[in-house]
Amino acid sequence: MSRLCKILVAFLLVAVMSMSLCACDGEKPQEGTTAPQTQATLDEAALLWNDATYTEETSLGKGDTLFDFKVIAGDNSVTFHIATNKENLGEALLEHELVAGDEGPYGLYVKYVNGIYADYDVNGCYWSFTKNGEMMMTGVDGETIEAGACYEMTYTK
């Protein structure tokens, strides 16, 4: 009787495991691809732009030095063409209220860019800072403006 029970339990385990595998569709993502974004992630990215000050390409300021400033959040971005006489990028962006944040021991901790909020301590997000696609080793207030450069702030989670 004991042997019969063991065989029955084994059979039931195999049946349960087979049924659980049937629930999978068997499709695997192709190598090098990532899973598609969930609807919640897409909705979250779209909601970011609800607080944006600008949603279209805009020219700001007057001055001799020209540069671009691109804000990227989710699938959307907006580029600002800025003319200034400021030498410091942070000062130029603050002048046009494109960034805001808190002063800390390392300079300006940018929490708002174009009205969009990111604070790692609050929502696990932050603004990454690049120039012409290269990661910067300074903050915006530690960067001397390079004429013709494109500075980017990317909402990063």
Side-chain angles (χ1 to χ4, degrees), residues 47-98:
L47 289 174
L48 292 173
W49 287 91
N50 286 342
D51 296 326
T53 307
Y54 299 92
T55 57
E56 295 181 4
E57 190 171 305
T58 303
S59 295
L60 298 170
K62 295 182 181 185
D64 298 328
T65 305
L66 304 172
F67 68 93
D68 287 340
F69 178 65
K70 186 174 186 178
V71 178
I72 305 162
D75 292 334
N76 297 327
S77 67
V78 64
T79 300
F80 301 91
H81 308 287
I82 300 175
T84 187
N85 286 324
K86 303 277 186 193
E87 291 184 19
N88 180 279
L89 179 64
E91 290 176 5
L93 297 176
L94 287 167
E95 175 182 42
H96 297 292
E97 299 178 345
L98 293 176

mmCIF file of all heavy atoms in Angstrom, residues 47-98:
data_model
loop_
_atom_site.group_PDB
_atom_site.id
_atom_site.type_symbol
_atom_site.label_atom_id
_atom_site.label_comp_id
_atom_site.label_asym_id
_atom_site.label_seq_id
_atom_site.Cartn_x
_atom_site.Cartn_y
_atom_site.Cartn_z
ATOM 1 N N LEU A 47 2.663 61.151 -17.452
ATOM 2 C CA LEU A 47 2.279 62.070 -16.381
ATOM 3 C C LEU A 47 3.391 63.054 -16.032
ATOM 4 O O LEU A 47 3.120 64.156 -15.573
ATOM 5 C CB LEU A 47 1.872 61.294 -15.131
ATOM 6 C CG LEU A 47 0.553 60.537 -15.207
ATOM 7 C CD1 LEU A 47 0.331 59.699 -13.957
ATOM 8 C CD2 LEU A 47 -0.610 61.498 -15.424
ATOM 9 N N LEU A 48 4.634 62.665 -16.238
ATOM 10 C CA LEU A 48 5.755 63.566 -15.945
ATOM 11 C C LEU A 48 5.580 64.899 -16.664
ATOM 12 O O LEU A 48 5.854 65.957 -16.104
ATOM 13 C CB LEU A 48 7.075 62.939 -16.394
ATOM 14 C CG LEU A 48 7.558 61.721 -15.649
ATOM 15 C CD1 LEU A 48 8.782 61.130 -16.335
ATOM 16 C CD2 LEU A 48 7.869 62.063 -14.204
ATOM 17 N N TRP A 49 5.130 64.838 -17.883
ATOM 18 C CA TRP A 49 5.030 66.045 -18.702
ATOM 19 C C TRP A 49 3.835 66.918 -18.339
ATOM 20 O O TRP A 49 3.732 68.052 -18.813
ATOM 21 C CB TRP A 49 5.042 65.674 -20.178
ATOM 22 C CG TRP A 49 6.417 65.249 -20.572
ATOM 23 C CD1 TRP A 49 6.930 63.984 -20.558
ATOM 24 C CD2 TRP A 49 7.491 66.099 -20.946
ATOM 25 N NE1 TRP A 49 8.250 63.995 -20.910
ATOM 26 C CE2 TRP A 49 8.632 65.279 -21.165
ATOM 27 C CE3 TRP A 49 7.617 67.474 -21.130
ATOM 28 C CZ2 TRP A 49 9.855 65.797 -21.548
ATOM 29 C CZ3 TRP A 49 8.850 67.981 -21.527
ATOM 30 C CH2 TRP A 49 9.942 67.153 -21.729
ATOM 31 N N ASN A 50 2.942 66.421 -17.480
ATOM 32 C CA ASN A 50 1.836 67.264 -17.018
ATOM 33 C C ASN A 50 2.340 68.471 -16.247
ATOM 34 O O ASN A 50 1.692 69.514 -16.228
ATOM 35 C CB ASN A 50 0.867 66.467 -16.135
ATOM 36 C CG ASN A 50 0.021 65.509 -16.931
ATOM 37 O OD1 ASN A 50 -0.105 65.627 -18.146
ATOM 38 N ND2 ASN A 50 -0.566 64.550 -16.249
ATOM 39 N N ASP A 51 3.480 68.334 -15.562
ATOM 40 C CA ASP A 51 4.033 69.421 -14.760
ATOM 41 C C ASP A 51 5.065 70.247 -15.516
ATOM 42 O O ASP A 51 5.613 71.211 -14.967
ATOM 43 C CB ASP A 51 4.692 68.853 -13.496
ATOM 44 C CG ASP A 51 3.677 68.176 -12.578
ATOM 45 O OD1 ASP A 51 2.523 68.645 -12.527
ATOM 46 O OD2 ASP A 51 4.033 67.188 -11.932
ATOM 47 N N ALA A 52 5.354 69.889 -16.756
ATOM 48 C CA ALA A 52 6.389 70.587 -17.521
ATOM 49 C C ALA A 52 5.991 72.030 -17.816
ATOM 50 O O ALA A 52 4.835 72.320 -18.115
ATOM 51 C CB ALA A 52 6.672 69.852 -18.829
ATOM 52 N N THR A 53 6.964 72.906 -17.714
ATOM 53 C CA THR A 53 6.743 74.316 -18.038
ATOM 54 C C THR A 53 6.639 74.498 -19.545
ATOM 55 O O THR A 53 5.783 75.218 -20.035
ATOM 56 C CB THR A 53 7.900 75.174 -17.485
ATOM 57 O OG1 THR A 53 8.053 74.891 -16.086
ATOM 58 C CG2 THR A 53 7.641 76.650 -17.675
ATOM 59 N N TYR A 54 7.519 73.829 -20.275
ATOM 60 C CA TYR A 54 7.541 73.899 -21.736
ATOM 61 C C TYR A 54 7.412 72.484 -22.301
ATOM 62 O O TYR A 54 7.985 71.553 -21.762
ATOM 63 C CB TYR A 54 8.863 74.487 -22.249
ATOM 64 C CG TYR A 54 9.150 75.892 -21.793
ATOM 65 C CD1 TYR A 54 9.883 76.124 -20.632
ATOM 66 C CD2 TYR A 54 8.717 76.981 -22.527
ATOM 67 C CE1 TYR A 54 10.171 77.424 -20.211
ATOM 68 C CE2 TYR A 54 8.992 78.278 -22.122
ATOM 69 C CZ TYR A 54 9.723 78.488 -20.954
ATOM 70 O OH TYR A 54 10.007 79.766 -20.558
ATOM 71 N N THR A 55 6.681 72.355 -23.390
ATOM 72 C CA THR A 55 6.562 71.051 -24.052
ATOM 73 C C THR A 55 6.991 71.117 -25.517
ATOM 74 O O THR A 55 6.963 70.104 -26.209
ATOM 75 C CB THR A 55 5.119 70.514 -23.969
ATOM 76 O OG1 THR A 55 4.233 71.476 -24.541
ATOM 77 C CG2 THR A 55 4.728 70.217 -22.526
ATOM 78 N N GLU A 56 7.361 72.306 -25.979
ATOM 79 C CA GLU A 56 7.801 72.479 -27.357
ATOM 80 C C GLU A 56 9.135 73.204 -27.389
ATOM 81 O O GLU A 56 9.467 73.962 -26.475
ATOM 82 C CB GLU A 56 6.768 73.273 -28.154
ATOM 83 C CG GLU A 56 5.442 72.557 -28.302
ATOM 84 C CD GLU A 56 4.432 73.354 -29.114
ATOM 85 O OE1 GLU A 56 4.786 74.427 -29.631
ATOM 86 O OE2 GLU A 56 3.293 72.896 -29.228
ATOM 87 N N GLU A 57 9.886 72.993 -28.459
ATOM 88 C CA GLU A 57 11.165 73.648 -28.656
ATOM 89 C C GLU A 57 11.008 75.149 -28.450
ATOM 90 O O GLU A 57 10.064 75.758 -28.954
ATOM 91 C CB GLU A 57 11.647 73.351 -30.076
ATOM 92 C CG GLU A 57 13.048 73.760 -30.353
ATOM 93 C CD GLU A 57 13.509 73.232 -31.704
ATOM 94 O OE1 GLU A 57 13.422 72.018 -31.938
ATOM 95 O OE2 GLU A 57 13.959 74.070 -32.511
ATOM 96 N N THR A 58 11.935 75.731 -27.685
ATOM 97 C CA THR A 58 11.803 77.124 -27.289
ATOM 98 C C THR A 58 13.164 77.817 -27.303
ATOM 99 O O THR A 58 14.167 77.214 -26.936
ATOM 100 C CB THR A 58 11.220 77.208 -25.853
ATOM 101 O OG1 THR A 58 9.977 76.523 -25.816
ATOM 102 C CG2 THR A 58 11.004 78.636 -25.414
ATOM 103 N N SER A 59 13.178 79.070 -27.709
ATOM 104 C CA SER A 59 14.388 79.897 -27.631
ATOM 105 C C SER A 59 14.230 80.851 -26.464
ATOM 106 O O SER A 59 13.168 81.455 -26.283
ATOM 107 C CB SER A 59 14.586 80.693 -28.921
ATOM 108 O OG SER A 59 14.839 79.809 -29.996
ATOM 109 N N LEU A 60 15.298 80.989 -25.669
ATOM 110 C CA LEU A 60 15.259 81.830 -24.475
ATOM 111 C C LEU A 60 16.504 82.701 -24.394
ATOM 112 O O LEU A 60 17.592 82.268 -24.774
ATOM 113 C CB LEU A 60 15.188 80.970 -23.207
ATOM 114 C CG LEU A 60 13.971 80.065 -23.021
ATOM 115 C CD1 LEU A 60 14.187 79.105 -21.857
ATOM 116 C CD2 LEU A 60 12.723 80.903 -22.794
ATOM 117 N N GLY A 61 16.345 83.896 -23.852
ATOM 118 C CA GLY A 61 17.466 84.741 -23.491
ATOM 119 C C GLY A 61 18.024 85.587 -24.603
ATOM 120 O O GLY A 61 17.642 85.475 -25.766
ATOM 121 N N LYS A 62 18.942 86.447 -24.167
ATOM 122 C CA LYS A 62 19.682 87.316 -25.074
ATOM 123 C C LYS A 62 21.112 87.309 -24.593
ATOM 124 O O LYS A 62 21.389 87.393 -23.406
ATOM 125 C CB LYS A 62 19.116 88.729 -25.047
ATOM 126 C CG LYS A 62 17.708 88.819 -25.578
ATOM 127 C CD LYS A 62 17.204 90.232 -25.570
ATOM 128 C CE LYS A 62 15.769 90.205 -26.092
ATOM 129 N NZ LYS A 62 15.203 91.501 -26.235
ATOM 130 N N GLY A 63 22.025 87.183 -25.509
ATOM 131 C CA GLY A 63 23.434 87.185 -25.140
ATOM 132 C C GLY A 63 24.288 86.691 -26.278
ATOM 133 O O GLY A 63 23.800 86.306 -27.343
ATOM 134 N N ASP A 64 25.585 86.701 -26.036
ATOM 135 C CA ASP A 64 26.547 86.360 -27.076
ATOM 136 C C ASP A 64 26.855 84.868 -27.171
ATOM 137 O O ASP A 64 27.344 84.395 -28.186
ATOM 138 C CB ASP A 64 27.852 87.129 -26.841
ATOM 139 C CG ASP A 64 27.632 88.632 -26.927
ATOM 140 O OD1 ASP A 64 26.757 89.067 -27.692
ATOM 141 O OD2 ASP A 64 28.353 89.368 -26.212
ATOM 142 N N THR A 65 26.618 84.132 -26.090
ATOM 143 C CA THR A 65 26.939 82.702 -26.082
ATOM 144 C C THR A 65 25.664 81.906 -26.322
ATOM 145 O O THR A 65 24.681 82.060 -25.597
ATOM 146 C CB THR A 65 27.576 82.289 -24.738
ATOM 147 O OG1 THR A 65 28.718 83.114 -24.499
ATOM 148 C CG2 THR A 65 27.998 80.830 -24.765
ATOM 149 N N LEU A 66 25.706 81.033 -27.317
ATOM 150 C CA LEU A 66 24.546 80.205 -27.659
ATOM 151 C C LEU A 66 24.847 78.743 -27.353
ATOM 152 O O LEU A 66 25.935 78.242 -27.661
ATOM 153 C CB LEU A 66 24.219 80.344 -29.148
ATOM 154 C CG LEU A 66 23.972 81.751 -29.670
ATOM 155 C CD1 LEU A 66 23.851 81.741 -31.187
ATOM 156 C CD2 LEU A 66 22.719 82.333 -29.044
ATOM 157 N N PHE A 67 23.866 78.056 -26.751
ATOM 158 C CA PHE A 67 23.974 76.619 -26.495
ATOM 159 C C PHE A 67 22.574 76.033 -26.459
ATOM 160 O O PHE A 67 21.583 76.769 -26.374
ATOM 161 C CB PHE A 67 24.732 76.331 -25.190
ATOM 162 C CG PHE A 67 23.999 76.742 -23.944
ATOM 163 C CD1 PHE A 67 23.182 75.850 -23.256
ATOM 164 C CD2 PHE A 67 24.130 78.030 -23.439
ATOM 165 C CE1 PHE A 67 22.516 76.233 -22.107
ATOM 166 C CE2 PHE A 67 23.458 78.420 -22.287
ATOM 167 C CZ PHE A 67 22.657 77.513 -21.610
ATOM 168 N N ASP A 68 22.491 74.716 -26.544
ATOM 169 C CA ASP A 68 21.213 74.016 -26.451
ATOM 170 C C ASP A 68 21.132 73.289 -25.120
ATOM 171 O O ASP A 68 22.143 72.819 -24.583
ATOM 172 C CB ASP A 68 21.052 73.000 -27.584
ATOM 173 C CG ASP A 68 20.796 73.660 -28.927
ATOM 174 O OD1 ASP A 68 20.376 74.838 -28.953
ATOM 175 O OD2 ASP A 68 21.011 72.996 -29.953
ATOM 176 N N PHE A 69 19.926 73.187 -24.619
ATOM 177 C CA PHE A 69 19.657 72.458 -23.381
ATOM 178 C C PHE A 69 18.459 71.558 -23.661
ATOM 179 O O PHE A 69 17.380 72.040 -23.991
ATOM 180 C CB PHE A 69 19.354 73.427 -22.239
ATOM 181 C CG PHE A 69 19.024 72.761 -20.938
ATOM 182 C CD1 PHE A 69 19.973 72.005 -20.270
ATOM 183 C CD2 PHE A 69 17.770 72.902 -20.375
ATOM 184 C CE1 PHE A 69 19.670 71.388 -19.057
ATOM 185 C CE2 PHE A 69 17.466 72.301 -19.167
ATOM 186 C CZ PHE A 69 18.418 71.542 -18.511
ATOM 187 N N LYS A 70 18.667 70.246 -23.565
ATOM 188 C CA LYS A 70 17.616 69.279 -23.890
ATOM 189 C C LYS A 70 17.162 68.574 -22.621
ATOM 190 O O LYS A 70 17.983 68.071 -21.847
ATOM 191 C CB LYS A 70 18.142 68.255 -24.897
ATOM 192 C CG LYS A 70 17.100 67.294 -25.401
ATOM 193 C CD LYS A 70 17.678 66.421 -26.511
ATOM 194 C CE LYS A 70 16.621 65.542 -27.132
ATOM 195 N NZ LYS A 70 17.177 64.742 -28.233
ATOM 196 N N VAL A 71 15.853 68.511 -22.417
ATOM 197 C CA VAL A 71 15.252 67.814 -21.285
ATOM 198 C C VAL A 71 14.590 66.553 -21.823
ATOM 199 O O VAL A 71 13.758 66.622 -22.731
ATOM 200 C CB VAL A 71 14.212 68.699 -20.567
ATOM 201 C CG1 VAL A 71 13.568 67.947 -19.413
ATOM 202 C CG2 VAL A 71 14.850 69.997 -20.098
ATOM 203 N N ILE A 72 14.973 65.406 -21.242
ATOM 204 C CA ILE A 72 14.453 64.116 -21.702
ATOM 205 C C ILE A 72 13.787 63.429 -20.524
ATOM 206 O O ILE A 72 14.401 63.233 -19.476
ATOM 207 C CB ILE A 72 15.598 63.232 -22.245
ATOM 208 C CG1 ILE A 72 16.373 63.967 -23.342
ATOM 209 C CG2 ILE A 72 15.058 61.891 -22.738
ATOM 210 C CD1 ILE A 72 17.729 63.383 -23.634
ATOM 211 N N ALA A 73 12.524 63.064 -20.698
ATOM 212 C CA ALA A 73 11.786 62.340 -19.655
ATOM 213 C C ALA A 73 10.834 61.373 -20.344
ATOM 214 O O ALA A 73 9.986 61.787 -21.130
ATOM 215 C CB ALA A 73 11.020 63.296 -18.746
ATOM 216 N N GLY A 74 11.015 60.081 -20.074
ATOM 217 C CA GLY A 74 10.218 59.070 -20.753
ATOM 218 C C GLY A 74 10.528 59.102 -22.238
ATOM 219 O O GLY A 74 11.680 59.237 -22.647
ATOM 220 N N ASP A 75 9.499 59.013 -23.056
ATOM 221 C CA ASP A 75 9.673 59.026 -24.509
ATOM 222 C C ASP A 75 9.649 60.434 -25.091
ATOM 223 O O ASP A 75 9.738 60.601 -26.306
ATOM 224 C CB ASP A 75 8.577 58.193 -25.178
ATOM 225 C CG ASP A 75 8.715 56.706 -24.883
ATOM 226 O OD1 ASP A 75 9.851 56.268 -24.607
ATOM 227 O OD2 ASP A 75 7.691 55.998 -24.912
ATOM 228 N N ASN A 76 9.496 61.451 -24.239
ATOM 229 C CA ASN A 76 9.386 62.822 -24.713
ATOM 230 C C ASN A 76 10.642 63.617 -24.387
ATOM 231 O O ASN A 76 11.364 63.308 -23.446
ATOM 232 C CB ASN A 76 8.179 63.513 -24.077
ATOM 233 C CG ASN A 76 6.876 62.860 -24.472
ATOM 234 O OD1 ASN A 76 6.734 62.353 -25.567
ATOM 235 N ND2 ASN A 76 5.919 62.862 -23.564
ATOM 236 N N SER A 77 10.850 64.656 -25.157
ATOM 237 C CA SER A 77 11.947 65.578 -24.886
ATOM 238 C C SER A 77 11.578 66.952 -25.429
ATOM 239 O O SER A 77 10.681 67.087 -26.259
ATOM 240 C CB SER A 77 13.243 65.084 -25.532
ATOM 241 O OG SER A 77 13.143 65.118 -26.931
ATOM 242 N N VAL A 78 12.276 67.942 -24.930
ATOM 243 C CA VAL A 78 12.120 69.307 -25.424
ATOM 244 C C VAL A 78 13.508 69.948 -25.405
ATOM 245 O O VAL A 78 14.296 69.707 -24.495
ATOM 246 C CB VAL A 78 11.093 70.114 -24.589
ATOM 247 C CG1 VAL A 78 11.541 70.298 -23.157
ATOM 248 C CG2 VAL A 78 10.799 71.458 -25.230
ATOM 249 N N THR A 79 13.788 70.727 -26.441
ATOM 250 C CA THR A 79 15.086 71.382 -26.560
ATOM 251 C C THR A 79 14.910 72.890 -26.444
ATOM 252 O O THR A 79 13.999 73.467 -27.040
ATOM 253 C CB THR A 79 15.753 71.039 -27.908
ATOM 254 O OG1 THR A 79 15.930 69.619 -27.976
ATOM 255 C CG2 THR A 79 17.110 71.715 -28.043
ATOM 256 N N PHE A 80 15.808 73.491 -25.678
ATOM 257 C CA PHE A 80 15.834 74.937 -25.503
ATOM 258 C C PHE A 80 17.087 75.469 -26.191
ATOM 259 O O PHE A 80 18.173 74.927 -26.007
ATOM 260 C CB PHE A 80 15.878 75.297 -24.014
ATOM 261 C CG PHE A 80 14.708 74.771 -23.249
ATOM 262 C CD1 PHE A 80 14.763 73.529 -22.638
ATOM 263 C CD2 PHE A 80 13.550 75.518 -23.139
ATOM 264 C CE1 PHE A 80 13.685 73.032 -21.942
ATOM 265 C CE2 PHE A 80 12.453 75.028 -22.431
ATOM 266 C CZ PHE A 80 12.520 73.780 -21.842
ATOM 267 N N HIS A 81 16.926 76.515 -26.971
ATOM 268 C CA HIS A 81 18.043 77.210 -27.593
ATOM 269 C C HIS A 81 18.258 78.460 -26.742
ATOM 270 O O HIS A 81 17.395 79.342 -26.706
ATOM 271 C CB HIS A 81 17.735 77.568 -29.051
ATOM 272 C CG HIS A 81 17.279 76.377 -29.838
ATOM 273 N ND1 HIS A 81 18.140 75.372 -30.220
ATOM 274 C CD2 HIS A 81 16.053 76.029 -30.291
ATOM 275 C CE1 HIS A 81 17.460 74.452 -30.895
ATOM 276 N NE2 HIS A 81 16.187 74.829 -30.944
ATOM 277 N N ILE A 82 19.382 78.513 -26.049
ATOM 278 C CA ILE A 82 19.595 79.560 -25.057
ATOM 279 C C ILE A 82 20.726 80.475 -25.483
ATOM 280 O O ILE A 82 21.799 80.009 -25.896
ATOM 281 C CB ILE A 82 19.887 78.944 -23.673
ATOM 282 C CG1 ILE A 82 18.689 78.087 -23.251
ATOM 283 C CG2 ILE A 82 20.190 80.019 -22.646
ATOM 284 C CD1 ILE A 82 18.868 77.322 -21.971
ATOM 285 N N ALA A 83 20.470 81.772 -25.384
ATOM 286 C CA ALA A 83 21.481 82.808 -25.612
ATOM 287 C C ALA A 83 21.713 83.487 -24.270
ATOM 288 O O ALA A 83 20.753 83.866 -23.590
ATOM 289 C CB ALA A 83 20.991 83.808 -26.648
ATOM 290 N N THR A 84 22.984 83.623 -23.869
ATOM 291 C CA THR A 84 23.276 84.188 -22.553
ATOM 292 C C THR A 84 24.629 84.878 -22.542
ATOM 293 O O THR A 84 25.462 84.634 -23.415
ATOM 294 C CB THR A 84 23.253 83.086 -21.475
ATOM 295 O OG1 THR A 84 23.369 83.668 -20.183
ATOM 296 C CG2 THR A 84 24.362 82.074 -21.686
ATOM 297 N N ASN A 85 24.811 85.714 -21.551
ATOM 298 C CA ASN A 85 26.125 86.289 -21.283
ATOM 299 C C ASN A 85 26.703 85.685 -20.003
ATOM 300 O O ASN A 85 27.793 86.069 -19.579
ATOM 301 C CB ASN A 85 26.044 87.813 -21.169
ATOM 302 C CG ASN A 85 25.864 88.450 -22.543
ATOM 303 O OD1 ASN A 85 26.408 87.973 -23.544
ATOM 304 N ND2 ASN A 85 25.085 89.518 -22.605
ATOM 305 N N LYS A 86 25.991 84.753 -19.389
ATOM 306 C CA LYS A 86 26.502 84.055 -18.201
ATOM 307 C C LYS A 86 27.616 83.119 -18.639
ATOM 308 O O LYS A 86 27.614 82.595 -19.747
ATOM 309 C CB LYS A 86 25.387 83.244 -17.522
ATOM 310 C CG LYS A 86 24.171 84.038 -17.116
ATOM 311 C CD LYS A 86 24.394 84.709 -15.800
ATOM 312 C CE LYS A 86 23.092 85.379 -15.353
ATOM 313 N NZ LYS A 86 23.283 86.290 -14.269
ATOM 314 N N GLU A 87 28.561 82.877 -17.744
ATOM 315 C CA GLU A 87 29.638 81.931 -18.030
ATOM 316 C C GLU A 87 29.339 80.558 -17.456
ATOM 317 O O GLU A 87 29.822 79.548 -17.952
ATOM 318 C CB GLU A 87 30.959 82.451 -17.462
ATOM 319 C CG GLU A 87 31.465 83.672 -18.192
ATOM 320 C CD GLU A 87 32.815 84.135 -17.694
ATOM 321 O OE1 GLU A 87 33.533 83.339 -17.054
ATOM 322 O OE2 GLU A 87 33.151 85.296 -17.948
ATOM 323 N N ASN A 88 28.513 80.510 -16.412
ATOM 324 C CA ASN A 88 28.215 79.269 -15.704
ATOM 325 C C ASN A 88 26.875 78.712 -16.166
ATOM 326 O O ASN A 88 25.874 79.434 -16.200
ATOM 327 C CB ASN A 88 28.211 79.540 -14.198
ATOM 328 C CG ASN A 88 27.900 78.309 -13.386
ATOM 329 O OD1 ASN A 88 26.749 77.951 -13.233
ATOM 330 N ND2 ASN A 88 28.948 77.665 -12.889
ATOM 331 N N LEU A 89 26.851 77.425 -16.508
ATOM 332 C CA LEU A 89 25.619 76.802 -17.003
ATOM 333 C C LEU A 89 24.495 76.876 -15.977
ATOM 334 O O LEU A 89 23.361 77.209 -16.307
ATOM 335 C CB LEU A 89 25.881 75.337 -17.389
ATOM 336 C CG LEU A 89 24.675 74.577 -17.905
ATOM 337 C CD1 LEU A 89 24.158 75.178 -19.209
ATOM 338 C CD2 LEU A 89 25.003 73.111 -18.086
ATOM 339 N N GLY A 90 24.797 76.552 -14.733
ATOM 340 C CA GLY A 90 23.778 76.596 -13.686
ATOM 341 C C GLY A 90 23.124 77.955 -13.583
ATOM 342 O O GLY A 90 21.902 78.062 -13.460
ATOM 343 N N GLU A 91 23.936 79.016 -13.637
ATOM 344 C CA GLU A 91 23.392 80.373 -13.560
ATOM 345 C C GLU A 91 22.461 80.661 -14.735
ATOM 346 O O GLU A 91 21.404 81.267 -14.569
ATOM 347 C CB GLU A 91 24.524 81.396 -13.528
ATOM 348 C CG GLU A 91 25.318 81.398 -12.241
ATOM 349 C CD GLU A 91 26.499 82.359 -12.279
ATOM 350 O OE1 GLU A 91 26.665 83.100 -13.278
ATOM 351 O OE2 GLU A 91 27.267 82.368 -11.298
ATOM 352 N N ALA A 92 22.858 80.227 -15.923
ATOM 353 C CA ALA A 92 22.025 80.458 -17.113
ATOM 354 C C ALA A 92 20.709 79.700 -17.012
ATOM 355 O O ALA A 92 19.649 80.231 -17.361
ATOM 356 C CB ALA A 92 22.777 80.058 -18.376
ATOM 357 N N LEU A 93 20.748 78.470 -16.525
ATOM 358 C CA LEU A 93 19.513 77.678 -16.398
ATOM 359 C C LEU A 93 18.624 78.212 -15.290
ATOM 360 O O LEU A 93 17.394 78.241 -15.429
ATOM 361 C CB LEU A 93 19.866 76.209 -16.158
ATOM 362 C CG LEU A 93 20.632 75.523 -17.290
ATOM 363 C CD1 LEU A 93 21.002 74.100 -16.897
ATOM 364 C CD2 LEU A 93 19.865 75.554 -18.597
ATOM 365 N N LEU A 94 19.227 78.635 -14.183
ATOM 366 C CA LEU A 94 18.451 79.236 -13.090
ATOM 367 C C LEU A 94 17.809 80.546 -13.530
ATOM 368 O O LEU A 94 16.665 80.840 -13.159
ATOM 369 C CB LEU A 94 19.335 79.470 -11.862
ATOM 370 C CG LEU A 94 19.731 78.226 -11.074
ATOM 371 C CD1 LEU A 94 20.855 78.538 -10.095
ATOM 372 C CD2 LEU A 94 18.526 77.643 -10.336
ATOM 373 N N GLU A 95 18.536 81.330 -14.329
ATOM 374 C CA GLU A 95 18.027 82.605 -14.828
ATOM 375 C C GLU A 95 16.712 82.427 -15.580
ATOM 376 O O GLU A 95 15.806 83.250 -15.485
ATOM 377 C CB GLU A 95 19.076 83.239 -15.743
ATOM 378 C CG GLU A 95 18.632 84.520 -16.421
ATOM 379 C CD GLU A 95 19.702 85.075 -17.344
ATOM 380 O OE1 GLU A 95 20.352 84.294 -18.081
ATOM 381 O OE2 GLU A 95 19.876 86.299 -17.329
ATOM 382 N N HIS A 96 16.584 81.320 -16.308
ATOM 383 C CA HIS A 96 15.374 81.057 -17.097
ATOM 384 C C HIS A 96 14.426 80.086 -16.391
ATOM 385 O O HIS A 96 13.480 79.591 -17.008
ATOM 386 C CB HIS A 96 15.755 80.541 -18.486
ATOM 387 C CG HIS A 96 16.521 81.551 -19.270
ATOM 388 N ND1 HIS A 96 15.977 82.727 -19.724
ATOM 389 C CD2 HIS A 96 17.823 81.575 -19.651
ATOM 390 C CE1 HIS A 96 16.889 83.427 -20.356
ATOM 391 N NE2 HIS A 96 18.019 82.748 -20.318
ATOM 392 N N GLU A 97 14.710 79.801 -15.124
ATOM 393 C CA GLU A 97 13.886 78.915 -14.290
ATOM 394 C C GLU A 97 13.699 77.533 -14.921
ATOM 395 O O GLU A 97 12.630 76.932 -14.817
ATOM 396 C CB GLU A 97 12.547 79.575 -13.961
ATOM 397 C CG GLU A 97 12.720 80.864 -13.187
ATOM 398 C CD GLU A 97 11.410 81.573 -12.881
ATOM 399 O OE1 GLU A 97 10.369 81.242 -13.496
ATOM 400 O OE2 GLU A 97 11.447 82.478 -12.031
ATOM 401 N N LEU A 98 14.757 77.049 -15.579
ATOM 402 C CA LEU A 98 14.702 75.716 -16.180
ATOM 403 C C LEU A 98 15.119 74.635 -15.190
ATOM 404 O O LEU A 98 14.784 73.466 -15.381
ATOM 405 C CB LEU A 98 15.584 75.657 -17.433
ATOM 406 C CG LEU A 98 15.092 76.503 -18.595
ATOM 407 C CD1 LEU A 98 16.082 76.460 -19.740
ATOM 408 C CD2 LEU A 98 13.716 76.033 -19.054
#
